[in-house]
Structure formats: C-alpha cells, structure tokens
Amino acid sequence: MAKGVERFVVPGISLVQSQQLIELKAKYPQVHIAAGLHPYFLDEHKDAHLAQLFDFAKTNKKQLVAIGECGLDRSIHDLEKQTSLFEQHITLANELQLPLIVHHRQSHDLIAHAFKRCKPKYGGVIHAYSGSMQQAQYYIKQGFKLGVGGVITYERAAKTRDVIAQIEPQHLVLETDAPSMPLSGHQGKINTPAHIPAVFEVLCSLKPNTNKAELAQQLYDSCSEVFCI
C-alpha cells in the first residue's frame, strides 16, 4: 500500500495452489484470484486435476476474476497435452463468463490456432507480452490486454519496448510476475508487487508525450475493466 499498489490479481498455477488461494483471498480482501493449471508444471497435472479444477471454479465462481494462468510453452514437452489443457481452460472461461490469463513462450502461432478452434468470448490478459506489433494487434482484436512487466525495464528488450510504446494504454495492464521476472538492476532478487511503480516509470519513459496522471488512470481502468474489479 505504501507504494500505491492497492489490489493484486494472483493467478492459479496448479489444482492445489488454486484451491489454497481461497484462503489467501479471505485473509487479504485486496487480493483477487484466478484458477488454472500452468503449462510449466505440466508433469504435476494429473488426469483428474482438470475435472477437479472445473468443479472448483464452478463452485467458487464468485470468488474468481479469471481462469488461468494457462497457455502454451514451447520450452515444455508434450504440446499436444498442453493444447488440450489450454483449450479446455478456454471452454471453462467461456462457460463461467470470465477472462483468461494466458502464458506464452515461443508460442503465439500455437495460441492463435487454439483460439480459432476454441474462441475466447471474454478476453483476458496476454501475460508478460513479448511479441510483434502484428501479434499485439491480433490479441487486441480478440479482446485481450497486453501484460506489461519487468521485461520493458531492460534496454536490450528493444523490440518489446518499441511495441509497447506504440500500444494505446487502454490495451495494457501493469504486472510484475512476482516473485519471478526481476526488474533490471534487481537480478537475483525476489520480485514483488512493490515494483509496479518502477515498471510504470519505465512505461512513462516509453510514452514521453503522455500525461503521467492520465496514463496511470487509463492503466487502472484497463485492469478494472478486464477483471471486472
């Protein structure tokens, strides 16, 4: 709160962790939660977990602001299983009328193919966006916001910084991916939501002709819109 961060969205990454988030939300009202099976933990997701996640999400729909984190990751084996899980997450989000939190790694083409087979109806966030302007425009047309986090604090991420600089604020949301994805200058340290203002300052530097107060409000409204909070 001292850093001006008032609310948090914490995604689910496994069945057990998604279920535990209910207790976290009860303890900290400023926390908003999602439920999902992250592809990074594919080996931990048993066959029964998806059905149990469906039951959990339906039972606790009023507690959730999104389905995810879900998605596709080419660095992880078994893309067929990943794709099946991802498309079933989309089906669940559509059924519950919730947005998605989507993970990607070298997989924008695979995500686009999945969207053609199973179209998301309520948009969401493309987490930690790093892609081309064409890919960014595609996601925006599908009703998604682009997650902007620590990546833009690295000058070497020139392509991503250039794309984000050109995207209108209403299509962006700020994020940190805490405790991962440290900001430039904080490598090797635990990331926290307290670094959101630092991400914002870098974003301001990428949009020098934008009023900071207006940009902050636009980003706040964008997040509130996608998660209905």
Side-chain angles (χ1 to χ4, degrees), residues 12-228:
I13 58 173
S14 69
L15 175 64
V16 172
Q17 182 261 1
S18 293
Q19 294 169 331
Q20 291 173 339
L21 289 179
I22 293 293
E23 298 178 8
L24 181 68
K25 178 173 176 56
K27 187 175 182 180
Y28 300 102
Q30 66 269 38
V31 170
H32 302 278
I33 63 173
L37 306 179
H38 196 295
Y40 188 80
F41 304 98
L42 192 67
D43 289 339
E44 300 177 20
H45 305 326
K46 307 304 180 184
D47 292 342
H49 285 184
L50 185 65
Q52 292 172 7
L53 185 79
F54 267 61
D55 291 341
F56 168 77
K58 292 175 182 178
T59 300
N60 295 281
K61 177 187 175 182
K62 292 183 179 180
Q63 303 276 5
L64 304 177
V65 298
I67 296 298
E69 190 172 335
C70 56
L72 295 169
D73 190 322
R74 269 200 170 95
S75 72
I76 306 298
H77 66 88
D78 202 343
L79 283 171
E80 183 177 349
K81 180 179 178 180
Q82 286 191 55
T83 301
S84 176
L85 280 174
F86 181 42
E87 293 182 8
Q88 291 182 78
H89 276 78
I90 298 172
T91 298
L92 177 60
N94 287 345
E95 182 177 343
L96 298 183
Q97 300 180 10
L98 289 172
L100 291 157
I101 300 175
V102 179
H103 168 88
H104 66 87
R105 182 173 295 169
Q106 301 174 343
S107 57
H108 292 303
D109 58 325
L110 300 178
I111 291 172
H113 289 314
F115 282 1
K116 288 181 180 180
R117 291 187 296 268
C118 190
K119 180 177 174 58
K121 297 179 181 179
Y122 300 95
V125 173
I126 305 300
H127 167 55
Y129 183 74
S130 60
S132 68
M133 177 60 72
Q134 182 180 8
Q135 291 163 336
Q137 292 172 339
Y138 167 78
Y139 286 127
I140 290 169
K141 288 180 180 178
Q142 300 301 311
F144 283 80
K145 312 283 188 180
L146 307 181
V148 180
V151 170
I152 67 166
T153 67
Y154 291 86
E155 292 189 7
R156 66 174 182 267
K159 183 182 75 171
T160 299
R161 286 160 61 97
D162 181 61
V163 170
I164 295 301
Q166 298 178 62
I167 299 296
E168 293 297 320
Q170 65 265 30
H171 302 307
L172 304 175
V173 297
L174 292 183
E175 59 185 21
T176 56
D177 196 25
S180 304
M181 200 181 294
L183 277 63
S184 177
H186 296 271
Q187 294 92 325
K189 300 178 182 178
I190 295 176
N191 193 9
T192 78
H195 288 145
I196 278 286
V199 176
F200 174 70
E201 290 299 326
V202 174
L203 182 60
C204 290
S205 74
L206 298 179
K207 298 178 178 294
N209 297 322
T210 302
N211 179 278
K212 290 179 67 172
E214 292 179 358
L215 177 58
Q217 187 63 54
Q218 289 171 319
L219 293 167
Y220 188 91
D221 291 346
S222 177
C223 184
S224 299
E225 175 189 352
V226 68
F227 293 119
C228 296

